[in-house]
């Protein structure tokens, strides 16, 4: 396959287009998805024109109805891709996601699956305020029966979305609004997939492992560049999938470096990093040179645009945590 240079917005659009062309059971539903609006992020632009409004459907403003309809359609054999416009609104559909979609396979004794994909955008770092800027992935990592995916590059966005759409189980697919314009190489042609549940080493290193995902991946790579100038060779592991976690890749990396930092946009308290750090500490306790460090958002509602940077993850936070593991700073 030859590579294209696409933005994440274009990569997601391409994945949706390919899925719609590949399987007549695939359809999209959500608020303002059809042309000319094509959603608040314009991710679905052109798809209704190409495939019709019976397959790219605008819905009423009701997250519960969107996911409820998707669950029902999945039970009938379709492959719905439902969009929750902004992640903060997903709580309205928690019952449908947590108690319906995630439980159907188990409550039916394996006779009924629920192959829905729930796409949602995270507006963290956009100055959108306390009810439009939250990273809530930890809520869903606590739910057996779900898969949670959060890519950071255009290639991962395309490959993971296609894997999600054709997965037999419900998948929450998260997209960072701030990354939609990020460009990178994406394999052209149909059939490209990235497996769910497999992390990716975005940068090899030997001194400290920094585990991250989604929006924080770019910040982590920038932190690794700063650390390199100080003589610290950081390995960056992009989880890509939060449920299931690829702890095999994480543990193999930390076993080599003997130091670990976990960085994410979600708040640190009870965040995804708590689980990753706990497993590292439990399984590699005697091999660690320093305690595992966690960095993320401060435990506070997101304030106004002028103050948001004070409570969100920064590249400097990641650098400082890595320095602690190297013994450069002790507290």
């Amino acid at each position: 396959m030859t590579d294209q240079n696409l933005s994440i917005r274009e990569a997601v659009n391409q994945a949706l287009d390919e899925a719609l062309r590949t399987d007549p059971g695939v359809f999209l539903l959500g608020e303002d998805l059809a042309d000319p609006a094509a959603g608040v992020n314009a991710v679905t632009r052109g798809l209704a024109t190409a495939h019709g409004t019976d397959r790219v459907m605008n819905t009423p403003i009701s997250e519960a109805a969107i996911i409820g309809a998707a669950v029902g359609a999945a039970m009938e054999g379709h492959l719905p891709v439902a969009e929750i416009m902004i992640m903060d609104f997903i709580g309205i559909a928690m019952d449908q996601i947590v108690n319906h979609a995630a439980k159907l396979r188990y409550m039916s004794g394996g006779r009924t699956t629920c192959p829905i994909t729930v796409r949602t955008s995270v507006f963290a770092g956009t100055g959108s305020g306390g009810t439009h800027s939250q990273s809530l992935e930890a809520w869903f990592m606590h739910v057996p029966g779900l898969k949670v995916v959060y890519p950071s590059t255009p290639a991962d966005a395309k490959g993971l979305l296609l894997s999600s759409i054709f997965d037999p189980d419900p998948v929450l697919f998260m997209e960072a609004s701030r990354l939609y314009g990020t460009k990178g190489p994406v394999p052209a042609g149909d059939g490209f997939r990235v497996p769910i549940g497999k992390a990716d080493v975005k940068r090899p290193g030997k001194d400290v492992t920094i585990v991250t995902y989604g929006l924080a991946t770019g910040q982590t790579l920038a932190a690794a560049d700063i650390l390199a100038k100080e003589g610290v060779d950081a390995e960056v592991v992009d989880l890509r999938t939060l449920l299931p976690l690829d702890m095999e890749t994480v543990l193999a990396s930390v076993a080599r470096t003997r130091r670990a930092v976990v960085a994410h946009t979600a708040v640190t308290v009870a965040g995804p990093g708590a689980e990753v750090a706990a497993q590292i500490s439990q399984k590699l306790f005697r091999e660690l040179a320093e305690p595992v460090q966690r960095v993320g958002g401060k435990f506070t509602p997101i304030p106004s645009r002028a103050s948001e940077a004070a409570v969100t993850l920064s590249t400097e936070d990641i650098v400082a945590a890595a320095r602690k593991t190297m013994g450069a700073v002790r507290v």
Side-chain angles (χ1 to χ4, degrees), residues 236-286:
V236 177
V237 177
D238 182 356
L239 291 171
R240 302 194 293 192
T241 300
L242 301 176
L243 193 64
L245 278 170
D246 180 8
M247 287 305 301
E248 182 178 354
T249 296
V250 172
L251 293 171
S253 176
V254 178
R256 284 187 285 101
T257 65
R258 302 178 62 227
R259 295 171 173 86
V261 174
V262 191
H264 50 63
T265 308
V267 297
T268 306
V269 175
E275 176 63 26
V276 175
Q279 290 203 39
I280 293 171
S281 297
Q282 181 180 10
K283 296 171 183 176
L284 295 176
F285 178 75
R286 296 186 183 280

Side-chain angles (χ1 to χ4, degrees), residues 44 51 59 66 99 110 135 141-142 159 177 181 186 191 193 196 234 250-251 265 287 305:
T44 57
H51 300 281
T59 67
I66 292 168
N99 288 327
S135 298
M141 289 176 68
H142 196 66
S177 177
V186 179
R193 299 286 190 278
I196 292 174
V250 172
L251 293 171
T265 308
E287 299 174 50
R305 183 187 298 268

Side-chain angles (χ1 to χ4, degrees), residues 46-303:
L47 296 179
T49 300
H51 300 281
T53 53
D54 59 331
R55 299 189 67 199
V56 182
M57 303 178 183
N58 287 337
T59 67
I61 303 174
S62 173
E63 287 73 20
I66 292 168
I67 304 303
V71 171
M75 293 175 70
E76 289 293 317
H78 298 283
L79 297 172
V81 183
E83 180 181 297
I84 301 298
M85 185 182 290
I86 301 174
M87 191 173 201
D88 303 63
F89 308 157
I90 206 166
I92 302 170
M94 284 294 280
D95 187 49
Q96 286 77 7
I97 295 171
V98 173
N99 288 327
H100 299 174
K103 305 293 191 293
L104 276 168
R105 178 190 288 275
Y106 302 89
M107 294 181 69
S108 67
R111 293 188 297 274
T112 301
T113 59
C114 191
I116 72 169
T117 303
V118 180
R119 291 182 48 246
T120 191
S121 182
V122 179
F123 272 47
T126 64
S128 299
T131 61
H132 291 70
S133 304
Q134 298 172 92
S135 298
L136 302 172
E137 55 268 28
W139 289 4
F140 300 93
M141 289 176 68
H142 196 66
V143 181
L146 292 180
K147 295 175 181 176
V148 181
V149 175
Y150 197 171
S152 66
T153 68
D156 288 346
K158 178 182 178 181
L160 282 165
L161 181 53
L162 283 164
S163 293
S164 299
I165 292 170
F166 294 105
D167 192 277
D169 293 310
V171 180
L172 175 64
F173 190 89
M174 299 174 60
E175 301 162 15
S177 177
R178 282 177 59 190
L179 295 182
Y180 277 131
T182 300
K183 289 205 166 190
V186 179
D190 296 349
F192 172 63
R193 299 286 190 278
V194 174
I196 292 174
K198 183 63 179 173
D200 183 44
V201 178
K202 289 289 193 282
R203 174 180 176 141
K206 60 181 176 57
D207 293 329
V208 57
T209 299
I210 309 180
V211 184
T212 187
Y213 60 87
L215 179 58
T217 301
Q219 293 172 296
T220 302
L221 290 168
D225 288 340
I226 294 171
L227 291 164
K229 295 175 183 177
E230 302 175 2
V232 177
D233 189 14
E235 179 152 298
V236 177
V237 177
D238 182 356
L239 291 171
R240 302 194 293 192
T241 300
L242 301 176
L243 193 64
L245 278 170
D246 180 8
M247 287 305 301
E248 182 178 354
T249 296
V250 172
L251 293 171
S253 176
V254 178
R256 284 187 285 101
T257 65
R258 302 178 62 227
R259 295 171 173 86
V261 174
V262 191
H264 50 63
T265 308
V267 297
T268 306
V269 175
E275 176 63 26
V276 175
Q279 290 203 39
I280 293 171
S281 297
Q282 181 180 10
K283 296 171 183 176
L284 295 176
F285 178 75
R286 296 186 183 280
E287 299 174 50
L288 291 173
E290 293 285 337
V292 180
Q293 297 292 319
R294 292 185 293 141
V295 287
K298 305 295 189 296
F299 192 63
T300 179
I302 306 296

Side-chain angles (χ1 to χ4, degrees), residues 1-17:
M1 292 183 182
T2 58
D3 284 348
Q4 318 155 86
N5 187 41
L6 300 180
S7 68
I8 287 183
R9 178 184 286 106
E10 292 166 333
V12 170
N13 181 281
Q14 191 173 91
L16 294 170
D17 180 60

